[in-house]
Amino acid sequence: MASLTVFALMEATNTTRVLEHLNELRKFGGTGGGKRGLGVSRQALTPPDIAAREWVMARMADAGLARRRMDGIGTVYGEGGDPSAPSLLMGSHTDSQPEGGWLDGALGVVYALEAARVLHEAGAPGAWSVIDFQDEEGRYNTLTGSRVFARHLPPPLEEMADGRARAGLSAAPVLYWDSARPAGFSGYLEAHIEQGPRLEAANASLGVVTAVVGLRQMRVSFLGRQDHAGGCEMPERADAALAAMRYASGLDAALRRVCDAPEACDGAVWTFPDLTGFVSHSTIPGEANLTLQFRAPTEAPMEEIERLARSHCEADRSALGLPPLSHARPVRCTIVHERPPVRAAPMDDEMRSCVEAAARIAAPSAGAGAAGTLAMPSRAVHDASPVATRMPAAMLFVPSVGGVSHSFDEHTHDKDLALGARAFVGAAAGIVLQQCAATPPELGRVSTVIPA
């Protein structure tokens, strides 16, 4: 056992098997879409999703995970190693967007399976677990499986009833972090594609995540008066859709002023992903609804964005120096949280150092103009966000080609997938063996820090 080291386990990583597993998994819900033909549509609780989760359970058996189950909403979980020891939890999700990519979530599950297999075959001491969370992509709620696991949400059993019944899960118990394992968990480790352009722009192969953004999604509703588009004169109109457009453009301008400097809002981002209210081309909309979604790696800018969003919805907008939402008859505006907020999640320093140590072995700096590894915030939300409120958590990123994700064109080069697998296994081994500090010092530290 004395010869069991992080380096030996990293060398035992079978990157060919990792690539084979990723390509097998993409066949569940594979559409052939995208310029490489790698598109996937595998939404939560659809037949391709359940088939993929059954495939994951079979690979758990191959990896020596003896205690396996699919819970009442479709989250898959398996345990390895010493059942009396606190376990390192590893994983991500295998559900996808309606028009999704082959690596979003699947990468983290396959890396976790490889780490579990390497630890098992080496006879490592300690304990490890693999989890494939259900519905990270938000068919039923944002981060459904991991937020239920962390007891942030009650399981949406009624909304999921049909899918659960088709999958034979109606009577299965739901998995929670504090009852899944009597010995508890030592931490959570997740790998993911970046879903952005920063690693590729820096010519870096791996990212060490410093924090995962929080996310808030609000529904802004506008109530006016439906009428004939020709017969109703302009001074008599209460056009709800026009009010929604004025609201969105005014709020966007205000947010750009407040967040003009990159450091002012910690790199916060916002979007208005939909506007509803159309009745017909000859009808003035009497009701309209607008979705506002915003993210930031810390809570303070999200509080400021929400404050501005609410103030722009107030009846007396003149106090803000803003024109009324309607220049004719009044339109009423209301704003509520559409989904429970996801809090920003800083990664655990000690676990992050384990990821950093393994990453700098797997991908040392390539020299001038290139960086092996970058420290950076995640601008997408991940299952690590809610889990980080219950146990220490850390994340590893691999590059996304062109920064593209949530698209059939999503891709990562094989060499980066292989480097990521070795780094992930090294990080997992360092945590389980408590050898994170055993990295050769000559490889140096993370070469560049990307600001939030």
Side-chain angles (χ1 to χ4, degrees):
M1 195 66 67
S3 64
L4 197 59
T5 67
V6 171
F7 318 117
L9 294 182
M10 287 181 75
E11 289 302 310
T13 306
N14 188 330
T15 56
T16 299
R17 179 169 58 215
V18 168
L19 293 172
E20 288 174 351
H21 281 174
L22 286 169
N23 279 287
E24 286 177 26
L25 188 49
R26 71 176 172 83
K27 294 175 184 176
F28 299 100
T31 67
K35 57 189 176 184
R36 298 176 185 86
L38 300 175
V40 170
S41 182
R42 194 167 57 227
Q43 287 187 274
L45 289 179
T46 59
D49 172 61
I50 296 303
R53 292 172 186 279
E54 291 170 346
W55 179 91
V56 169
M57 291 189 74
R59 301 293 77 73
M60 284 181 171
D62 296 341
L65 298 172
R67 296 169 290 279
R68 305 174 298 278
R69 59 190 183 273
M70 189 182 299
D71 85 343
I73 61 173
T75 290
V76 174
Y77 173 75
E79 296 181 351
D82 182 356
S84 66
S87 176
L88 172 66
L89 183 63
M90 305 175 288
S92 190
H93 64 97
T94 53
D95 64 291
S96 82
Q97 287 285 320
E99 295 187 5
W102 69 299
L103 297 170
D104 180 357
L107 175 92
V109 173
V110 169
Y111 279 10
L113 289 168
E114 181 64 20
R117 187 164 183 162
V118 169
L119 289 164
H120 170 73
E121 291 179 350
W128 48 91
S129 307
V130 174
I131 195 161
D132 177 2
F133 288 112
Q134 180 59 287
D135 193 29
E136 190 268 1
E137 297 292 0
R139 184 183 183 193
Y140 297 97
N141 210 315
T142 307
L143 307 176
T144 303
S146 52
R147 295 177 86 187
V148 168
F149 178 76
R151 293 192 185 272
H152 289 191
L153 287 177
L157 300 180
E158 290 186 12
E159 297 92 327
M160 290 179 152
D162 290 345
R164 293 172 65 235
R166 284 194 301 270
L169 300 174
S170 298
V174 174
L175 188 74
Y176 298 105
W177 76 279
D178 52 356
S179 58
R181 180 181 176 84
F185 298 100
S186 59
Y188 175 67
L189 183 62
E190 180 175 0
H192 212 279
I193 56 171
E194 180 197 350
Q195 301 181 293
R198 291 183 165 196
L199 287 174
E200 190 175 65
N203 195 23
S205 295
L206 299 171
V208 179
V209 177
T210 56
V212 180
V213 293
L215 181 150
R216 301 187 191 187
Q217 187 161 308
M218 309 193 78
R219 193 70 163 172
V220 193
S221 299
F222 303 85
L223 182 62
R225 188 184 70 183
Q226 185 171 315
D227 210 329
H228 193 288
C232 182
E233 297 184 0
M234 297 304 291
E236 298 300 316
R237 298 189 178 204
D239 189 328
L242 185 57
M245 289 185 277
R246 283 185 178 134
Y247 172 90
S249 61
L251 178 58
D252 178 68
L255 291 174
R256 290 180 184 278
R257 287 192 297 271
V258 170
C259 300
D260 183 49
E263 66 276 8
C265 294
D266 289 343
V269 293
W270 56 90
T271 185
F272 301 94
D274 72 347
L275 170 63
T276 61
F278 175 81
V279 178
S280 79
H281 291 99
S282 295
T283 301
I284 300 166
E287 295 183 22
N289 293 287
L290 185 73
T291 298
L292 166 65
Q293 187 190 94
F294 49 99
R295 309 171 187 227
T298 56
E299 289 294 305
M302 290 199 293
E303 289 290 335
E304 177 63 10
I305 291 171
E306 180 167 336
R307 184 191 69 78
L308 285 168
R310 291 186 180 279
S311 65
H312 275 63
C313 191
E314 290 175 359
D316 184 11
R317 288 163 47 96
S318 61
L320 297 171
L322 297 170
L325 291 173
S326 173
H327 291 294
R329 290 185 176 274
V331 172
R332 185 162 62 92
C333 175
T334 58
I335 182 169
V336 296
H337 282 283
E338 188 172 46
R339 291 182 170 184
V342 177
R343 291 187 62 82
M347 297 292 94
D348 179 76
D349 288 341
E350 188 173 345
M351 284 193 66
R352 203 177 100 196
S353 72
C354 294
V355 176
E356 177 183 319
R360 67 180 190 258
I361 298 172
S365 175
T373 307
L374 296 180
M376 60 191 299
S378 169
R379 298 191 176 279
V381 295
H382 296 291
D383 291 312
S385 302
V387 180
T389 67
R390 302 305 188 190
M391 64 188 76
M395 288 194 72
L396 174 76
F397 275 172
V398 298
S400 297
V401 172
V404 174
S405 183
H406 285 192
S407 164
F408 288 159
D409 289 332
E410 174 186 287
H411 191 55
T412 296
H413 296 304
D414 284 359
K415 65 178 180 62
D416 291 324
L417 294 173
L419 284 175
R422 292 187 72 244
F424 187 88
V425 170
I431 295 166
V432 171
L433 300 178
Q434 299 181 5
Q435 290 184 13
C436 293
T439 307
E442 67 271 18
L443 290 177
R445 296 189 60 78
V446 168
S447 52
T448 305
V449 175
I450 291 184

